[in-house]
């Protein structure tokens, strides 16, 4: 589903005003491969857009039904939503499958001001009502928040907000230049470091919820301390396919979906309506733009001291910042990896000084 009922000022998606829904035949084709994969290891299907709930309850239910309940190897479903459309019927559907819910909301008050509808009206109250309905139905949920103005106070407010709402997990994205959002991202430096430092301090003082970025950073620190960082760096980079509404497959960096390169053309490796998803993924490495992406990971491995931590960064950031996929350091690397690590190390130093 490409349509979104909101028009967030930092959104990177190119077609969020167009109602393009996934055809049921696409879901059928994806399920054929997902069922094979689920016999070997757990598989999660994440529904996102746009706003996936904008497809409507009956159509979303029909898409889920394509994956069949009660199989020997069930598939886990999750949905990324702005929560503004959640009502009792949606909660009943989420509970019956079940579907794990992740909510996009940026924090309290002004922190969520960029998340407006197509008439410019604020969405916060509707989102909070949706979250309250999830809670009333006993449904667990996580948050993903975009931070547009990083500071220690922003970190404190965001963490307190997430704890108050009672989410399981908080994911933090710094606003960045990507896709149709041409606005410059944050400059690395003291303000960003101080944001991450305060977030680490708040979490340590009250670790009632998980924080995605801190979990990843601390797992890397543990690997360094236990001498297993080299093994972590050597693990294969997983290809995580994203299937668009019309069946096109983006095997790496799903933020590239819907975009094209002057050199490579559309960022896709084929369509599940013509070739099984398993076959498209097996041959993805031979597609020029994917090969260039893998070259970029190899370049990062060769030159970056943080490779065991970030494992090659994000191809979409490389492309939208530099125009190529085999670049190395990006603004995302500096602000959301290097500055993050500096922030938690500063917190550790202050906590033990």
């Amino acid at each position: 589903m490409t349509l979104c009922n909101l028009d967030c000022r930092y959104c990177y998606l190119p077609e969020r005003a167009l109602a393009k829904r996934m055809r049921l035949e696409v879901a059928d084709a994806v399920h054929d491969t997902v069922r094979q994969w689920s016999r070997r290891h757990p598989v999660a299907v994440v529904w996102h857009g746009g706003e996936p709930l904008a497809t409507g309850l009956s159509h979303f239910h029909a898409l889920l039904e394509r994956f069949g309940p009660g199989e020997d190897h069930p598939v886990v479903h999750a949905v990324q939503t702005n929560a503004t459309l959640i009502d009792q019927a949606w909660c009943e559907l989420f509970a019956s499958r079940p579907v794990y819910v992740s909510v996009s909301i940026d924090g309290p008050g002004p922190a969520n001001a960029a998340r407006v509808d197509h008439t410019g009206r604020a969405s916060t109250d509707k989102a909070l009502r949706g979250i309250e309905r999830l809670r009333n139905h006993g449904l667990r949920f996580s948050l993903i928040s975009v931070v547009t103005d990083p500071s220690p106070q922003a970190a404190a407010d965001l963490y307190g907000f997430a704890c108050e709402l009672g989410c399981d997990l908080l994911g933090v994205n710094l606003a960045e230049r990507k896709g149709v959002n041409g606005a410059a991202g944050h400059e690395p430096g003291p303000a960003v470091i101080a944001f991450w430092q305060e977030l680490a301090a708040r979490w340590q003082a009250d670790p009632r919820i998980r924080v995605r970025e801190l979990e990843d950073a601390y797992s890397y620190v543990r690997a360094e301390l236990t001498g297993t960082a080299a093994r972590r760096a050597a693990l294969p980079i997983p290809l995580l396919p994203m299937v668009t509404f019309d069946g096109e497959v983006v095997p790496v960096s799903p933020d590239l979906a819907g975009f094209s390169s002057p050199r490579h053309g559309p960022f896709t490796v084929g369509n599940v309506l013509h070739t099984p998803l398993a076959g498209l993924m097996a041959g993805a490495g031979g597609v020029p733009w994917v090969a260039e992406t893998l070259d970029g990971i190899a370049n990062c491995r060769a030159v970056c001291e943080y490779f065991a931590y970030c494992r090659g960064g994000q191809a979409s950031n490389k492309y939208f910042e530099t125009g190529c996929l085999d670049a190395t350091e990006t603004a995302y690397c500096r602000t959301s990896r290097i500055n993050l690590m500096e922030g938690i190390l500063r917190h550790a130093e202050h906590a033990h000084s």
Side-chain angles (χ1 to χ4, degrees), residues 1-83:
M1 182 71 178
T2 62
L3 179 66
C4 188
N5 60 320
L6 298 187
D7 189 23
C8 301
R9 297 189 179 104
Y10 49 66
C11 186
Y12 65 89
L13 296 173
E15 297 183 322
R16 60 186 183 273
L18 302 178
K20 297 180 177 179
R21 302 197 306 179
M22 177 175 282
R23 293 161 52 188
L24 299 182
E25 300 95 310
V26 172
D28 285 332
V30 171
H31 173 252
D32 290 343
T33 291
V34 165
R35 187 172 185 179
Q36 297 172 26
W37 287 345
S38 69
R39 294 191 179 107
R40 301 193 298 270
H41 50 72
V43 176
V45 175
V46 181
W47 300 90
H48 58 101
E51 168 52 48
L53 306 196
T55 196
L57 185 71
S58 61
H59 187 68
F60 190 79
H61 182 266
L63 291 170
L64 292 176
E65 285 298 302
R66 264 32 199 192
F67 290 83
E71 295 183 355
D72 293 338
H73 307 277
V75 175
V76 176
H77 291 270
V79 63
Q80 186 66 47
T81 175
N82 59 44

